[in-house]
């Protein structure tokens, strides 16, 4: 069996999920990892018998790879993707695509011109429960969408700064916006109000709001709202609700491998729980596509750009931007 040689730039939480999945596949070798934290890079590399780098660009320049995973903070995107494009190296990139819109649009142009294979980590698209909801809404389109990301402020120092994370809507709630597009359709109008972070700021718009509410109108005629907050002691609710003719659907994510679906109709309430690992599913689909053994990549860079642009528009609306 031909084995695939892969690398990973970034060794944080989400990178760890991908690396665990990649290491579990019997046709994959993780040969290199990179992180600006040299000690962490070395430790992760040792656990995979891989080479360690402190600069992702160095990894991309030195290694002979079949694919690379880019799992870096929002502000670190751009140069890595462009280096992969120059090498014609397929890449999987974690959301968000960038801390801004211009970087993502520039990379998208380069990817399209090169015809490069890509995938983006909107992992809900690989959930069996989401696919069941899709089948339901194809027959009876939703009229109302509600989404939630009610959580704590992540402890990393860059997250609370819009200029580095992009803001909560771009960095976290983007998953909810992606489900809105997937299950209801494209958004034609977006308007956001927010609660600003207190205290003096040299650049007030750089502070990520404490809470926000986004109003949506869809091309289908449906309407919706998305609520976000970062002031709780931990994850409170991450999920969506759809209301259509004769039904209500609720889908919640308690953890990446713990999801619950509740369907309410005239016959009662049916609940289903899934412990499926969508990270492993999306990684396997991308690897198969790279190897020429399948075509089940459910979110390419071009598709992810549409979600990223929606999240960016929602965030900019809250600060009076365009």
């Amino acid at each position: 069996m031909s084995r695939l040689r892969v690398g990973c730039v970034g060794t944080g939480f989400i990178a760890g999920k991908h690396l665990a999945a990649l290491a579990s596949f019997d046709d994959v070798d993780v040969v290199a990892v990179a992180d600006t934290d040299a000690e962490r890079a070395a430790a992760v590399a040792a656990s995979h018998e891989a080479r360690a780098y402190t600069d992702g660009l160095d990894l991309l320049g030195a290694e002979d790879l079949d694919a690379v995973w880019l799992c870096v903070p929002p502000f670190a995107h751009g140069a890595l993707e462009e280096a992969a494009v120059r090498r014609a190296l397929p890449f999987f990139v974690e959301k968000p695509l960038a801390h801004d819109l211009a970087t993502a649009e520039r990379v998208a142009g380069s990817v399209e011109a090169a015809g490069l294979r890509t995938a983006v980590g909107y992992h809900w698209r690989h959930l069996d429960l989401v696919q069941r909801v899709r089948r339901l809404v194809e027959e009876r389109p939703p009229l109302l969408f509600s989404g939630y990301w009610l959580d704590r402020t992540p402890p990393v120092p860059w997250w609370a700064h819009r200029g580095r994370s992009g803001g909560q809507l771009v960095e976290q709630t983007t998953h909810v916006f992606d489900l809105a597009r997937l299950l209801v359709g494209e958004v034609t109008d977006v308007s956001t109000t927010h609660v600003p972070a207190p205290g003096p700021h040299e650049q007030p718009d750089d502070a990520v709001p404490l809470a926000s509410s986004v109003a949506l109108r869809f091309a289908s005629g449906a309407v919706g709202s998305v609520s976000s907050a970062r002031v709780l002691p931990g994850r409170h609710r991450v999920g969506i609700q759809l209301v259509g003719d004769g039904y209500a659907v609720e889908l919640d994510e308690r953890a990446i491998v713990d999801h619950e679906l509740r369907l309410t109709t005239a016959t009662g309430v049916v609940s289903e729980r899934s412990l499926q690992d969508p990270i492993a599913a999306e990684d396997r689909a991308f690897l198969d596509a790279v190897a020429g053994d399948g075509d089940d990549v459910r979110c390419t860079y071009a598709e992810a750009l549409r979600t990223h642009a929606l999240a960016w528009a929602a965030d900019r609306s809250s600060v009076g931007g365009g």
Side-chain angles (χ1 to χ4, degrees):
M1 184 191 311
S2 177
R3 299 183 67 81
L4 296 167
R5 295 168 54 85
V6 305
C8 184
V9 181
T11 60
F13 171 78
I14 199 65
K17 297 293 185 183
H18 287 291
L19 286 166
L22 293 169
S24 74
F25 301 140
D26 59 10
D27 61 341
V28 175
D29 289 323
V30 177
V31 300
V33 300
D35 198 289
T36 55
D37 184 327
E39 184 175 342
R40 191 167 70 179
V44 172
S47 69
H48 293 279
E49 298 182 351
R51 286 173 289 279
Y53 295 80
T54 56
D55 189 319
L57 293 175
D58 290 342
L59 181 155
L60 290 171
E63 295 290 340
D64 180 18
L65 303 174
D66 294 300
V68 67
W69 268 248
L70 305 177
C71 304
V72 297
F75 60 86
H77 288 288
L80 291 166
E81 289 86 345
E82 290 166 342
V85 170
R86 287 193 297 272
R87 291 198 57 193
L89 177 63
F91 67 83
F92 183 109
V93 59
E94 260 302 334
K95 46 55 61 187
L97 298 181
H99 68 294
D100 63 351
L101 184 58
T103 299
E105 289 178 332
R106 185 178 71 250
V107 170
S110 299
V111 167
E112 182 179 11
L116 189 64
R117 175 75 70 177
T118 60
V120 180
Y122 285 105
H123 60 263
W124 289 56
R125 289 180 178 238
H126 282 268
L127 278 173
D128 47 6
L129 298 182
V130 169
Q131 297 310 309
R132 289 174 195 171
V133 175
R134 287 192 76 180
R135 290 192 290 271
L136 170 67
V137 300
E138 283 174 359
E139 298 177 1
R140 289 183 282 174
L143 302 174
L144 178 67
F145 174 91
S146 302
Y148 313 88
W149 197 292
L150 310 177
D151 207 339
R152 65 171 182 160
T153 300
V156 289
W158 49 263
W159 194 92
H161 299 274
R162 264 193 178 112
R164 294 178 70 75
S165 69
Q168 185 176 19
L169 301 183
V170 169
E171 207 281 324
Q172 286 182 328
T173 316
T174 187
H175 280 298
V176 174
F177 289 120
D178 193 60
L179 283 180
R181 291 187 54 248
L182 182 70
L183 299 173
V184 189
E186 300 300 342
V187 173
T188 57
D189 294 290
V190 57
S191 178
T192 305
T193 55
H194 75 272
V195 179
H201 301 282
E202 293 182 10
Q203 297 177 319
D205 289 349
D206 186 55
V208 174
L210 300 181
S212 64
S213 179
V214 183
L216 305 172
R217 179 170 291 279
F218 296 85
S220 66
V223 295
S225 64
V226 176
S227 301
S228 303
R230 64 177 183 92
V231 295
L232 294 158
R235 177 175 289 210
H236 175 67
R237 185 177 186 189
V238 173
I240 64 167
Q241 182 179 60
L242 298 170
V243 175
D245 186 10
Y247 71 85
V249 172
E250 295 174 272
L251 178 63
D252 289 305
E253 180 180 270
R254 291 179 173 82
I256 289 177
V257 293
D258 187 355
H259 296 81
E260 184 177 9
L261 174 67
R262 292 178 298 281
L263 173 62
T264 302
T265 64
T267 59
V269 180
V270 177
S271 297
E272 184 176 355
R273 188 177 179 189
S274 174
L275 299 180
Q276 177 196 9
D277 184 350
I279 299 288
E282 65 183 357
D283 288 343
R284 185 69 259 176
F286 181 58
L287 287 165
D288 289 344
V290 168
D293 295 331
D295 192 17
D296 191 30
V297 173
R298 300 181 187 178
C299 194
T300 64
Y301 200 98
E303 174 65 15
L305 180 62
R306 298 184 180 96
T307 293
H308 185 70
L310 173 58
W312 175 259
D315 184 73
R316 291 299 92 186
S317 172
S318 74
V319 295

